[in-house]
mmCIF file of all heavy atoms in Angstrom:
data_model
loop_
_atom_site.group_PDB
_atom_site.id
_atom_site.type_symbol
_atom_site.label_atom_id
_atom_site.label_comp_id
_atom_site.label_asym_id
_atom_site.label_seq_id
_atom_site.Cartn_x
_atom_site.Cartn_y
_atom_site.Cartn_z
ATOM 1 N N GLU A 737 192.994 51.641 -16.935
ATOM 2 C CA GLU A 737 192.521 51.649 -15.543
ATOM 3 C C GLU A 737 192.001 50.276 -15.109
ATOM 4 O O GLU A 737 191.921 49.986 -13.921
ATOM 5 C CB GLU A 737 191.449 52.711 -15.337
ATOM 6 C CG GLU A 737 190.179 52.437 -16.137
ATOM 7 C CD GLU A 737 189.111 53.508 -15.954
ATOM 8 O OE1 GLU A 737 189.462 54.681 -15.800
ATOM 9 O OE2 GLU A 737 187.931 53.131 -15.992
ATOM 10 N N ASP A 745 188.208 45.449 -3.768
ATOM 11 C CA ASP A 745 187.529 46.749 -3.877
ATOM 12 C C ASP A 745 186.167 46.680 -4.555
ATOM 13 O O ASP A 745 185.502 47.703 -4.684
ATOM 14 C CB ASP A 745 188.410 47.731 -4.677
ATOM 15 C CG ASP A 745 189.600 48.186 -3.862
ATOM 16 O OD1 ASP A 745 189.557 48.017 -2.633
ATOM 17 O OD2 ASP A 745 190.562 48.688 -4.451
ATOM 18 N N VAL A 746 185.764 45.505 -5.008
ATOM 19 C CA VAL A 746 184.454 45.416 -5.657
ATOM 20 C C VAL A 746 183.399 45.668 -4.590
ATOM 21 O O VAL A 746 183.361 44.987 -3.566
ATOM 22 C CB VAL A 746 184.223 44.031 -6.311
ATOM 23 C CG1 VAL A 746 182.830 43.956 -6.921
ATOM 24 C CG2 VAL A 746 185.271 43.760 -7.375
ATOM 25 N N MET A 747 182.574 46.692 -4.818
ATOM 26 C CA MET A 747 181.569 47.024 -3.802
ATOM 27 C C MET A 747 180.478 45.967 -3.794
ATOM 28 O O MET A 747 180.006 45.549 -4.842
ATOM 29 C CB MET A 747 180.988 48.397 -4.082
ATOM 30 C CG MET A 747 181.950 49.486 -3.707
ATOM 31 S SD MET A 747 181.222 51.069 -3.979
ATOM 32 C CE MET A 747 182.320 51.726 -5.203
ATOM 33 N N PRO A 781 172.960 46.195 -17.288
ATOM 34 C CA PRO A 781 173.064 47.535 -17.881
ATOM 35 C C PRO A 781 174.458 48.150 -17.753
ATOM 36 O O PRO A 781 175.316 47.625 -17.035
ATOM 37 C CB PRO A 781 172.041 48.348 -17.073
ATOM 38 C CG PRO A 781 171.750 47.563 -15.853
ATOM 39 C CD PRO A 781 172.053 46.139 -16.146
ATOM 40 N N PHE A 782 174.664 49.252 -18.430
ATOM 41 C CA PHE A 782 175.929 49.994 -18.378
ATOM 42 C C PHE A 782 176.245 50.430 -16.958
ATOM 43 O O PHE A 782 175.337 50.778 -16.202
ATOM 44 C CB PHE A 782 175.812 51.287 -19.207
ATOM 45 C CG PHE A 782 176.042 51.081 -20.660
ATOM 46 C CD1 PHE A 782 175.039 51.361 -21.579
ATOM 47 C CD2 PHE A 782 177.265 50.608 -21.121
ATOM 48 C CE1 PHE A 782 175.254 51.178 -22.939
ATOM 49 C CE2 PHE A 782 177.489 50.430 -22.478
ATOM 50 C CZ PHE A 782 176.472 50.711 -23.382
ATOM 51 N N GLY A 783 177.492 50.415 -16.627
ATOM 52 C CA GLY A 783 177.949 51.079 -15.412
ATOM 53 C C GLY A 783 177.771 50.302 -14.112
ATOM 54 O O GLY A 783 178.021 50.835 -13.043
ATOM 55 N N VAL A 784 177.351 49.035 -14.195
ATOM 56 C CA VAL A 784 177.159 48.293 -12.940
ATOM 57 C C VAL A 784 178.452 47.610 -12.488
ATOM 58 O O VAL A 784 178.475 46.940 -11.460
ATOM 59 C CB VAL A 784 176.017 47.249 -13.031
ATOM 60 C CG1 VAL A 784 174.662 47.931 -13.098
ATOM 61 C CG2 VAL A 784 176.210 46.297 -14.209
ATOM 62 N N GLY A 785 179.509 47.761 -13.269
ATOM 63 C CA GLY A 785 180.811 47.247 -12.825
ATOM 64 C C GLY A 785 181.224 45.931 -13.466
ATOM 65 O O GLY A 785 182.104 45.235 -12.940
ATOM 66 N N LYS A 786 180.657 45.594 -14.600
ATOM 67 C CA LYS A 786 180.996 44.320 -15.259
ATOM 68 C C LYS A 786 182.469 44.283 -15.671
ATOM 69 O O LYS A 786 183.189 43.342 -15.367
ATOM 70 C CB LYS A 786 180.107 44.108 -16.506
ATOM 71 C CG LYS A 786 178.620 44.102 -16.209
ATOM 72 C CD LYS A 786 177.790 43.835 -17.454
ATOM 73 C CE LYS A 786 177.865 44.910 -18.526
ATOM 74 N NZ LYS A 786 177.317 46.219 -18.109
ATOM 75 N N THR A 787 182.889 45.353 -16.352
ATOM 76 C CA THR A 787 184.276 45.390 -16.826
ATOM 77 C C THR A 787 185.240 45.470 -15.645
ATOM 78 O O THR A 787 186.308 44.855 -15.652
ATOM 79 C CB THR A 787 184.476 46.599 -17.768
ATOM 80 O OG1 THR A 787 183.537 46.482 -18.832
ATOM 81 C CG2 THR A 787 185.875 46.643 -18.337
ATOM 82 N N TYR A 788 184.824 46.206 -14.622
ATOM 83 C CA TYR A 788 185.668 46.353 -13.427
ATOM 84 C C TYR A 788 185.932 44.978 -12.796
ATOM 85 O O TYR A 788 187.068 44.643 -12.450
ATOM 86 C CB TYR A 788 184.991 47.283 -12.415
ATOM 87 C CG TYR A 788 185.866 47.607 -11.230
ATOM 88 C CD1 TYR A 788 186.695 48.714 -11.231
ATOM 89 C CD2 TYR A 788 185.863 46.774 -10.100
ATOM 90 C CE1 TYR A 788 187.512 49.006 -10.160
ATOM 91 C CE2 TYR A 788 186.683 47.057 -9.014
ATOM 92 C CZ TYR A 788 187.502 48.171 -9.049
ATOM 93 O OH TYR A 788 188.317 48.449 -7.988
ATOM 94 N N ILE A 789 184.874 44.186 -12.674
ATOM 95 C CA ILE A 789 185.024 42.852 -12.060
ATOM 96 C C ILE A 789 185.922 41.963 -12.936
ATOM 97 O O ILE A 789 186.768 41.229 -12.430
ATOM 98 C CB ILE A 789 183.648 42.196 -11.808
ATOM 99 C CG1 ILE A 789 182.854 43.029 -10.788
ATOM 100 C CG2 ILE A 789 183.794 40.748 -11.317
ATOM 101 C CD1 ILE A 789 181.438 42.544 -10.522
ATOM 102 N N TYR A 920 177.656 52.953 -11.482
ATOM 103 C CA TYR A 920 178.845 53.596 -10.912
ATOM 104 C C TYR A 920 179.311 54.795 -11.720
ATOM 105 O O TYR A 920 180.061 55.618 -11.244
ATOM 106 C CB TYR A 920 179.984 52.587 -10.818
ATOM 107 C CG TYR A 920 179.863 51.640 -9.658
ATOM 108 C CD1 TYR A 920 179.966 50.271 -9.847
ATOM 109 C CD2 TYR A 920 179.675 52.128 -8.376
ATOM 110 C CE1 TYR A 920 179.867 49.398 -8.784
ATOM 111 C CE2 TYR A 920 179.572 51.275 -7.310
ATOM 112 C CZ TYR A 920 179.666 49.905 -7.513
ATOM 113 O OH TYR A 920 179.573 49.060 -6.467
ATOM 114 N N ARG A 921 178.909 54.825 -12.968
ATOM 115 C CA ARG A 921 179.377 55.940 -13.809
ATOM 116 C C ARG A 921 178.759 57.255 -13.392
ATOM 117 O O ARG A 921 179.239 58.314 -13.739
ATOM 118 C CB ARG A 921 179.043 55.674 -15.267
ATOM 119 C CG ARG A 921 179.893 54.551 -15.792
ATOM 120 C CD ARG A 921 179.663 54.279 -17.227
ATOM 121 N NE ARG A 921 180.229 52.956 -17.516
ATOM 122 C CZ ARG A 921 180.524 52.521 -18.694
ATOM 123 N NH1 ARG A 921 180.298 53.264 -19.740
ATOM 124 N NH2 ARG A 921 181.013 51.314 -18.855
HETATM 125 P P1 LIG B 2317 180.172 48.223 -16.958
HETATM 126 O O1 LIG B 2317 181.274 47.471 -17.581
HETATM 127 O O2 LIG B 2317 179.154 47.373 -16.282
HETATM 128 O O3 LIG B 2317 179.523 49.199 -17.919
HETATM 129 P P2 LIG B 2317 182.292 49.439 -15.454
HETATM 130 O O4 LIG B 2317 182.988 48.242 -14.950
HETATM 131 O O5 LIG B 2317 182.915 50.138 -16.622
HETATM 132 O O6 LIG B 2317 180.767 49.114 -15.788
HETATM 133 O O7 LIG B 2317 182.122 50.451 -14.238
HETATM 134 C C1 LIG B 2317 181.727 51.799 -14.410
HETATM 135 C C2 LIG B 2317 182.672 52.738 -13.672
HETATM 136 O O8 LIG B 2317 182.643 52.490 -12.298
HETATM 137 C C3 LIG B 2317 184.104 52.569 -14.111
HETATM 138 O O9 LIG B 2317 184.721 53.819 -14.166
HETATM 139 C C4 LIG B 2317 184.711 51.706 -13.037
HETATM 140 O O10 LIG B 2317 186.103 51.930 -12.909
HETATM 141 C C5 LIG B 2317 183.922 52.100 -11.820
HETATM 142 N N1 LIG B 2317 183.728 50.960 -10.907
HETATM 143 C C6 LIG B 2317 182.953 49.889 -11.133
HETATM 144 N N2 LIG B 2317 182.956 49.053 -10.096
HETATM 145 C C7 LIG B 2317 183.756 49.624 -9.175
HETATM 146 C C8 LIG B 2317 184.169 49.279 -7.863
HETATM 147 N N3 LIG B 2317 183.752 48.186 -7.283
HETATM 148 N N4 LIG B 2317 185.006 50.096 -7.218
HETATM 149 C C9 LIG B 2317 185.445 51.206 -7.805
HETATM 150 N N5 LIG B 2317 185.086 51.623 -9.031
HETATM 151 C C10 LIG B 2317 184.265 50.841 -9.718
#
Side-chain angles (χ1 to χ4, degrees):
E737 65 181 34
D745 287 343
V746 177
M747 285 182 242
F782 277 119
V784 289
K786 302 182 295 296
T787 303
Y788 187 91
I789 296 176
Y920 282 129
R921 290 183 196 199

